[in-house]
Amino acid sequence: MILVPEVLTILILNGIFLVFSTIAFVISLRIYKNWDRKSSTNLQYNLEKQSVLAGTIIKYIFLVKLPLFLFFIFTLDKISNVLIGAMCAAGVVDATSYGIYLFIFKILNLYLFGFWLVLNNIDIQNENLPYTKVKFGFFCVVYFLFLAEIIIEILMFSSIDPSIMVSCCGALYSSTSTSYISSLFTISPVVILSIFYVNVLALGLSYYFKHSFSYAIFALLFIIISIISLISWFGTYIYELPTHHCPFCFLQKDYYYIGYLIYFTLFTGTFFALITPFFNKKRYFDISIFFIIFYTLIVSGYPVVYYIKNGVWL
Amino acid sequence: MIELKNITKQYEINKNNTITALKDINISIKSGTLTVLKGSSGSGKSTILSLIAALSRPTSGEVIVDKKQISKLPDNFASLYRRENIGFIFQKYNLIPNLSVQDNILVPLIPNNPDIKTIEDKLHSVMKKFNIFHKKDIEVQNLSGGEQQRVAIARGMINNPKIIIADEPTANLDEKLSLEFIQILKDLKGEGRTIVVATHDPLFFDLDFINDTIELKNGKVV
């Protein structure tokens, strides 16, 4: 177990979240089973009051969990200083077999928590509480993913052994390595960039025509193609090194923490795009396209600036 | 227009014991009228007021105010409805004893968070109207019963409600002060407000400006 203050903070918060989310889970289950808005019974009245309590608990847990994702990445980065061989968060993620699963759970949960928050926000603004049953039913499912995330997180931190050497990102994201990531580097940048910008264009067209379904599909593709293009091409211009492909190093101070802005804009933009088929609101289209364009401009800006400064591509 | 349709209200004391406060009653109160609910203690007067104010929900039936069903509003919407529509006048005034007159009156404004100018304008207006401006800085515990009643009315009026609900408003007043209070109600009615008074004070029963008197007995309209 590695117990730096940041890990302790995460573990203590996990403990608090676990207690309160379990309380909310029990109430949510009761609400999901017995909710009947048309009924005037005492049970229904009590459920409505309990729904406020459970909704508030879940809301504040998720509201803290969203920025806590960035703190988690920051923590991994911090731990990399004490792990032999690790240069950034990539080494810490690779240090145990749980790292990659934790990352997948965290990103998945990030979207699910966000979806619950939007659902809750729309529900409590309507006096007929149209989504109460759905949102608590949804939470009953998300609770287990949340639980899984907490368990894997504890397992990961407890499995890290500072005395064991880990791989650095230079090795993990090298074109000479044999990992599945290295296969990305065999794809021509022209192909990757073409897909990336065509995807942006498709998102723009879907936005223009307010076609929520295609908008969400292209947003889903955008997450994948953005991360691939970031690793294989855009990242190299952030580092100004053609051989460095790490998706974590640019979260560090040396790169002015630009990675936080990159991931924030990517996740926020795609999140709001993904929820448009469920809540077809112009505001969600606007927020998502703003962040997607912002993301595109940031990542595109690095190669352009590099080319202007040096007159060549990497 | 306030409509109570097929209202039954039961209070659950415990799992095996319920008290029926209202039994399948139907009441209709037109806007801009003054209605008196009369009946002995326990007849269901206060329950009707609490239903109109969305302070409680009927066990069955509907409460409709200005074509809007308010009997199933979630708590936060019920609070908003009360804040925007209802002025309360209670038997025991329900003032905060160690706050001044003006501080007591402005309490209902707090959730709206208006600017200072609006607060001052509204305060000045209601304190003048109910003749308590000269006592504005005095703690309400040092006022007479009649003055406290006027503070309570001013507090009920500060949000300019369409509906005024008064529960035994003259129970703690002598006859002179009760008549003064009745005059205030007459003036408020003249402003077009809907007033519902629950009382068993005989002073109310023969007033010429009362539009309707509803007598209740054992939770039923007589």
Side-chain angles (χ1 to χ4, degrees):
Chain A
M1 171 75 87
I2 188 157
L3 283 179
V4 294
E6 288 79 7
V7 173
L8 269 176
T9 306
I10 289 174
L11 293 179
I12 291 167
L13 282 173
N14 277 345
I16 296 168
F17 292 156
L18 194 62
V19 171
F20 283 98
S21 63
T22 305
I23 294 168
F25 173 71
V26 173
I27 300 172
S28 299
L29 210 56
R30 198 181 303 151
I31 293 170
Y32 184 71
K33 279 168 67 183
N34 301 306
W35 185 262
D36 179 7
R37 184 79 182 109
K38 289 175 186 161
S39 165
S40 299
T41 58
N42 270 350
L43 173 67
Q44 173 61 20
Y45 191 49
N46 287 335
L47 289 177
E48 284 182 27
K49 287 191 173 298
Q50 287 176 2
S51 76
V52 177
L53 172 68
T56 307
I57 291 173
I58 300 166
K59 179 178 150 185
Y60 282 99
I61 289 175
F62 287 177
L63 278 178
V64 176
K65 280 294 283 180
L66 296 181
L68 205 62
F69 177 70
L70 298 178
F71 182 72
F72 169 75
I73 296 173
F74 171 81
T75 302
L76 295 188
D77 226 24
K78 193 92 185 280
I79 294 173
S80 68
N81 295 329
V82 291
L83 290 189
I84 304 161
M87 300 295 285
C88 67
V92 185
V93 171
D94 195 56
T96 70
S97 55
Y98 303 110
I100 189 68
Y101 298 111
L102 180 59
F103 233 84
I104 292 166
F105 264 103
K106 279 207 176 273
I107 293 173
L108 176 69
N109 285 350
L110 212 59
Y111 282 89
L112 295 176
F113 296 168
F115 183 75
W116 189 93
L117 286 170
V118 173
L119 197 61
N120 178 58
N121 193 39
I122 294 172
D123 183 51
I124 58 173
Q125 282 175 12
N126 189 317
E127 60 187 43
N128 293 318
L129 303 173
Y131 298 119
T132 299
K133 187 165 179 153
V134 176
K135 81 179 179 192
F136 285 111
F138 182 62
F139 176 72
C140 289
V141 177
V142 171
Y143 172 75
F144 289 103
L145 295 172
F146 181 53
L147 212 61
E149 182 195 314
I150 290 176
I151 292 166
I152 297 172
E153 194 158 42
I154 293 166
L155 284 171
M156 191 196 89
F157 285 128
S158 58
S159 306
I160 292 174
D161 185 349
S163 62
I164 294 175
M165 183 180 269
V166 298
S167 303
C168 80
C169 56
L172 290 168
Y173 296 95
S174 159
S175 55
T176 56
S177 80
T178 54
S179 70
Y180 60 92
I181 294 168
S182 62
S183 61
L184 293 176
F185 309 127
T186 60
I187 307 168
S188 157
V190 177
V191 173
I192 289 176
L193 290 179
S194 301
I195 297 171
F196 177 80
Y197 286 110
V198 167
N199 198 340
V200 174
L201 187 68
L203 279 164
L205 288 171
S206 300
Y207 168 80
Y208 182 76
F209 292 109
K210 296 288 181 288
H211 196 282
S212 58
F213 187 73
S214 64
Y215 195 54
I217 295 288
F218 287 126
L220 198 62
L221 289 173
F222 190 70
I223 301 171
I224 299 162
I225 191 68
S226 292
I227 290 171
I228 292 171
S229 58
L230 197 59
I231 293 171
S232 71
W233 200 73
F234 290 117
T236 57
Y237 285 88
I238 297 172
Y239 304 122
E240 298 188 342
L241 267 177
T243 54
H244 199 55
H245 295 280
C246 180
F248 292 100
C249 280
F250 51 65
L251 292 157
Q252 293 178 333
K253 190 183 175 187
D254 300 347
Y255 303 98
Y256 309 103
Y257 303 107
I258 190 67
Y260 291 98
L261 186 63
I262 286 173
Y263 288 125
F264 175 75
T265 51
L266 174 64
F267 291 140
T268 310
T270 51
F271 169 75
F272 281 100
L274 287 171
I275 63 170
T276 53
F278 300 98
F279 316 106
N280 200 344
K281 289 191 172 185
K282 186 180 174 296
R283 190 157 54 102
Y284 297 152
F285 275 101
D286 293 345
I287 295 170
S288 67
I289 201 72
F290 171 79
F291 281 107
I292 286 167
I293 290 172
F294 195 15
Y295 171 85
T296 308
L297 289 175
I298 297 169
V299 293
S300 305
Y302 277 93
V304 170
V305 170
Y306 183 87
Y307 186 78
I308 291 168
K309 274 175 19 186
N310 302 290
V312 288
W313 300 106
L314 281 170
Chain B
M1 176 77 128
I2 302 168
E3 290 173 281
L4 279 74
K5 292 182 176 175
N6 308 113
I7 293 289
T8 295
K9 174 68 182 175
Q10 292 177 323
Y11 291 103
E12 204 171 284
I13 307 301
N14 53 48
K15 278 187 178 176
N16 305 317
N17 195 2
T18 56
I19 291 174
T20 304
L22 297 172
K23 290 175 201 161
D24 197 28
I25 66 158
N26 290 283
I27 293 174
S28 183
I29 298 168
K30 285 183 183 161
S31 298
T33 60
L34 195 158
T35 302
V36 171
L37 303 174
K38 72 173 187 178
S40 56
S41 292
S43 59
K45 304 187 298 291
S46 298
T47 302
I48 289 177
L49 295 187
S50 70
L51 291 171
I52 294 171
L55 283 167
S56 65
R57 294 178 177 188
T59 309
S60 63
E62 293 178 336
V63 182
I64 299 164
V65 176
D66 293 337
K67 295 178 184 167
K68 184 184 170 83
Q69 225 226 91
I70 57 130
S71 43
K72 291 191 115 345
L73 288 176
D75 282 351
N76 52 337
F77 285 94
S79 301
L80 195 66
Y81 157 76
R82 281 193 292 274
R83 205 187 305 157
E84 289 173 351
N85 296 286
I86 309 284
F88 292 95
I89 301 166
F90 301 96
Q91 176 183 346
K92 290 179 180 168
Y93 318 133
N94 291 7
L95 300 169
I96 303 167
N98 54 348
L99 288 188
S100 69
V101 167
Q102 62 178 352
D103 287 347
N104 264 284
I105 295 171
L106 64 79
V107 166
L109 293 176
I110 293 171
N112 293 337
N113 197 23
D115 57 69
I116 295 290
K117 177 83 171 63
T118 308
I119 292 173
E120 284 175 350
D121 289 349
K122 286 189 170 189
L123 265 177
H124 188 268
S125 164
V126 292
M127 285 193 296
K128 281 279 183 196
K129 183 173 179 179
F130 297 105
N131 194 26
I132 37 162
F133 186 77
H134 58 292
K135 304 259 180 173
K136 66 186 172 86
D137 295 318
I138 296 175
E139 288 184 2
V140 294
Q141 62 192 351
N142 298 324
L143 299 178
S144 69
E147 287 168 333
Q148 287 191 27
Q149 179 67 292
R150 292 210 300 276
V151 175
I153 298 166
R155 182 187 57 187
M157 293 303 113
I158 189 109
N159 272 328
N160 196 24
K162 286 186 289 187
I163 301 166
I164 296 163
I165 281 173
D167 194 0
E168 302 286 3
T170 55
N172 289 333
L173 302 178
D174 59 27
E175 188 174 337
K176 182 173 170 283
L177 290 173
S178 296
L179 289 170
E180 270 179 28
F181 175 76
I182 286 167
Q183 183 57 44
I184 290 172
L185 282 189
K186 187 178 180 181
D187 295 343
L188 291 172
K189 190 201 161 199
E191 292 170 6
R193 299 178 206 271
T194 309
I195 303 170
V196 187
V197 183
T199 185
H200 52 253
D201 185 343
L203 280 175
F204 277 89
F205 301 152
D206 298 319
L207 298 171
D208 58 351
F209 61 94
I210 287 177
N211 300 89
D212 199 4
T213 302
I214 297 166
E215 188 171 355
L216 294 157
K217 193 174 180 183
N218 296 328
K220 287 186 172 176
V221 178
V222 181

